[in-house]
Amino acid sequence: MTGASGDLTRLSLNQETIKQWSLPELAEGCVKAGVPGVGLWRAPVQEYGVEAAARLIRDAGLTVTSLCRGGFFTAIDPAERAAALADNRAAIDEAATLGTDTLILVSGGLPPGSRDLFAARERIADALAELAPYAADRGVRLAIEPLHPMYASDRCVVSTLAQALDLAERFPAEQVGVVVDTYHLWWDDTVATQITRAGAGGRLASFQLADWITPLPEGVLLGRGQLGDGSVDFRWFRERVDATGFTGPIEVEIFNPALWARDGAEVLAEVADRYRTLVL
């Protein structure tokens, strides 16, 4: 798709971008705006009911482009690891019920008292080895999302696309892929090479957009910016992802209380306008 078309064929709205909407409001709002895809989160889906949510989205004619999230594989304690694996199997089952083939993984940070990043990444690989066949049997691919290095200690020891690919490439491409999220990767001067690598290996499972704005808020998790409000060159990313042959959805995932305080339809209209102007 070229910038000249200006359509929303590939646009997906992640549920967290307009967190103030209920699931029925999300479905109705996307249909009215001509947005064909939605990325969902487990907690609100579970609250609504997984099967009910699947019917709602399906009946609206929408596509679930991803489910977030699985992961948190880095615990050392055997009971904690067993609980994490069980929770991820449940997440895989939920993704299958919702009709999405992509489960986003936030892999987990350092366990309390540990400073061993390499061992933490190996525990991620061990978990993937257990879960990837289970997911594949249900038509779901595990998608490793590298997070910005500021999250390495407490949320995700996978900080670069190269690290994510190093893990993913231990497994068949149809079982484990990677996420390209502009918020987390915009700063990395090797990202173009790694996007090409991901595409060549059939590893691109999800492409997500959010802007990088400063100063970051206290706690940093809720500091993603609306498209165009920060430092990210979205068209640059889109062109490089498209050059790999990836034709999948482009999902806008923003965590920002200022957006959550606004009218949801207004936010979605703004997202669509910025998408047309800055991404296509």
Side-chain angles (χ1 to χ4, degrees):
M1 183 168 61
T2 67
S5 66
D7 66 59
L8 304 180
T9 304
R10 294 171 66 189
L11 180 59
S12 174
L13 179 72
N14 188 278
Q15 186 173 14
E16 286 290 288
T17 303
I18 308 180
K19 188 175 183 177
Q20 63 271 38
W21 270 354
S22 66
L23 263 173
E25 289 171 332
L26 176 72
E28 181 181 6
C30 286
V31 169
K32 286 182 177 179
V35 175
V38 291
L40 300 181
W41 278 68
R42 293 182 66 198
V45 165
Q46 289 169 350
E47 183 177 353
Y48 190 82
V50 179
E51 292 185 0
R55 286 194 301 271
L56 174 73
I57 301 300
R58 183 175 59 247
D59 291 349
L62 300 171
T63 299
V64 181
T65 57
S66 70
L67 179 64
C68 198
R69 64 192 193 286
F72 290 90
F73 299 132
T74 54
I76 296 172
D77 178 76
E80 292 181 15
R81 288 187 60 75
L85 290 170
D87 184 62
N88 276 271
R89 291 187 188 95
I92 291 164
D93 293 342
E94 291 163 13
T97 298
L98 292 166
T100 182
D101 60 1
T102 304
L103 177 65
I104 307 293
L105 302 180
V106 176
S107 297
L110 286 172
S114 174
R115 295 177 175 84
D116 193 339
L117 290 167
F118 300 100
R121 293 185 191 123
E122 284 304 308
R123 287 193 294 276
I124 294 168
D126 291 343
L128 291 171
E130 291 201 39
L131 293 169
Y134 183 89
D137 286 345
R138 287 150 183 81
V140 176
R141 180 156 65 160
L142 305 178
I144 304 169
E145 180 170 13
L147 268 59
H148 189 280
M150 68 181 174
Y151 297 112
S153 64
D154 65 342
R155 192 164 293 269
C156 188
V157 297
V158 180
S159 301
T160 66
L161 190 54
Q163 290 170 353
L165 285 165
D166 287 346
L167 284 166
E169 288 168 353
R170 302 188 192 190
F171 307 94
E174 65 273 16
Q175 294 184 6
V176 183
V178 297
V179 182
V180 171
D181 185 322
T182 61
Y183 178 77
H184 295 299
L185 300 177
W186 72 277
W187 57 275
D188 185 350
D189 62 0
T190 71
V191 73
T193 299
Q194 298 305 321
I195 288 172
T196 300
R197 173 186 169 190
R203 298 284 174 178
L204 273 172
S206 180
F207 179 33
Q208 297 182 329
L209 309 181
D211 217 337
W212 179 276
I213 53 176
T214 48
L216 294 173
E218 183 178 356
V220 306
L221 185 61
L222 305 183
R224 293 177 176 229
Q226 171 65 287
L227 309 185
D229 285 355
S231 305
V232 178
D233 186 341
F234 294 104
R235 186 170 292 113
W236 184 94
F237 268 92
R238 195 268 302 160
E239 288 173 346
R240 277 145 189 82
V241 167
D242 281 1
T244 71
F246 180 83
T247 58
I250 302 174
E251 188 174 307
V252 176
E253 182 189 56
I254 304 170
F255 314 148
N256 190 306
L259 295 184
W260 298 339
R262 292 170 54 191
D263 175 76
E266 177 186 283
V267 173
L268 182 50
E270 184 175 87
V271 166
D273 181 65
R274 302 282 184 96
Y275 174 84
R276 291 187 181 100
T277 303
L278 300 170
V279 180
L280 298 184

